[in-house]
Amino acid sequence: MSTVNGFVRLTRMQALLDLRDGAQLLLPLGLPLLILTMNAMGDSATRPSRDHSGRTFLDVTLMPMTLLMIISMLALIFLPTNMAQSRRIGVLRRLSVTPVRPIALLVAQTVTNLLTSVLGIAVALLVGALAFDAGMPQDALSALLVFALVAFAMYGLGLLLAALAPSPNVVVAAGFVLFFGMMAVGGGLGDPDSLPAILRAVGEYLPYGAGLNALGAAWAGAAPEPVHLAGLLVAGVAGSAVAAANFRWE
């Protein structure tokens, strides 16, 4: 019980540290909603598509893309930035003389950040449904599975950045480069068919492209491709393992 209580206290402390810099949440929560609103206001977004059994572009592309942007920005930018900031101001150094283990701290950071992601996703789903009549995923179970794998992959990479980057400024730069890089080659900035074949192939299996394809399939009621799920799983395992092995208090 003492271990559980200690983890709860650690998670509460991390949540308070995140709330202290709550203004940072405006970008990862506000930008995806802005992009959703701007794109959903067009007629083409709500026109039924023959390619997706009558589901609209809003349903099978815009909604999954919005949710993916929220969790990706929080995992790749907000989480590692807060970790690096805590390291810079000495919070992690003070924790290093306590019984807290690195893995417990990484999990606590992930839990508090993931709760923010869930809140942002709930707001996005609500806005999409009420303002634009967006549909929910036809295969809810597949959508939940894909969401869990996307979260695992993105937070694995975010923790990796937090473990390796030497300063908050480097973390922010690396997080933005990683986020927009994967987004660009994964279909988040336009039709991936317009990309060179090699970039299109790589982007499809990176976490953003794999997540977008898998979430889109769940929304359309189709089974996600196993290779996309495998790509998410590999990214999560590799990122988390390397992050845990290279964790440093200072």
Side-chain angles (χ1 to χ4, degrees):
M1 182 62 68
S2 60
T3 301
V4 174
N5 290 338
F7 179 75
V8 171
R9 288 195 297 269
L10 179 62
T11 303
R12 186 184 301 119
M13 183 197 73
Q14 292 300 323
L16 292 174
L17 289 174
D18 289 350
L19 290 174
R20 182 191 60 187
D21 297 322
Q24 297 181 30
L25 293 172
L26 292 177
L27 180 64
L29 297 183
L31 181 61
L33 286 177
L34 177 62
I35 293 176
L36 170 64
T37 301
M38 292 174 60
N39 284 279
M41 292 175 68
D43 292 337
S44 60
T46 54
R47 187 179 301 127
S49 169
R50 294 181 180 179
D51 298 335
H52 301 292
S53 303
R55 300 305 295 269
T56 64
F57 176 74
L58 171 64
D59 292 338
V60 299
T61 301
L62 284 182
M63 288 306 301
M65 184 183 301
T66 300
L67 307 190
L68 190 56
M69 285 185 65
I70 290 172
I71 195 168
S72 298
M73 295 185 76
L74 284 168
L76 299 177
I77 300 170
F78 189 74
L79 169 66
T81 299
N82 278 358
M83 179 78 81
Q85 183 69 11
S86 296
R87 183 182 292 117
R88 187 184 68 83
I89 64 178
V91 172
L92 298 190
R93 184 174 63 252
R94 291 193 290 273
L95 285 174
S96 67
V97 298
T98 70
V100 174
R101 297 190 177 190
I103 188 64
L105 180 62
L106 294 177
V107 172
Q109 283 271 4
T110 303
V111 167
T112 57
N113 198 276
L114 186 57
L115 290 175
T116 304
S117 297
V118 171
L119 176 62
I121 286 171
V123 171
L125 289 173
L126 189 63
V127 170
L130 296 181
F132 306 109
D133 197 27
M136 296 295 106
Q138 288 191 349
D139 191 339
L141 186 59
S142 289
L144 288 174
L145 171 63
V146 172
F147 175 77
L149 287 175
V150 167
F152 183 47
M154 292 300 181
Y155 281 103
L157 294 179
L159 292 173
L160 178 61
L161 288 178
L164 298 181
S167 70
N169 290 338
V170 173
V171 165
V172 171
F176 272 107
V177 168
L178 186 58
F179 168 69
F180 282 111
M182 289 196 301
M183 187 178 180
V185 299
L189 297 179
D191 188 353
D193 290 338
S194 62
L195 295 171
I198 183 63
L199 291 181
R200 185 169 64 250
V202 171
E204 181 181 356
Y205 302 113
L206 290 177
Y208 192 97
L212 185 59
N213 281 288
L215 280 175
W219 242 264
E225 293 287 340
V227 68
H228 294 147
L229 302 181
L232 294 170
L233 183 61
V234 168
V237 170
S240 301
V242 176
N246 291 274
F247 180 85
R248 53 193 176 84
W249 296 103
E250 299 185 50

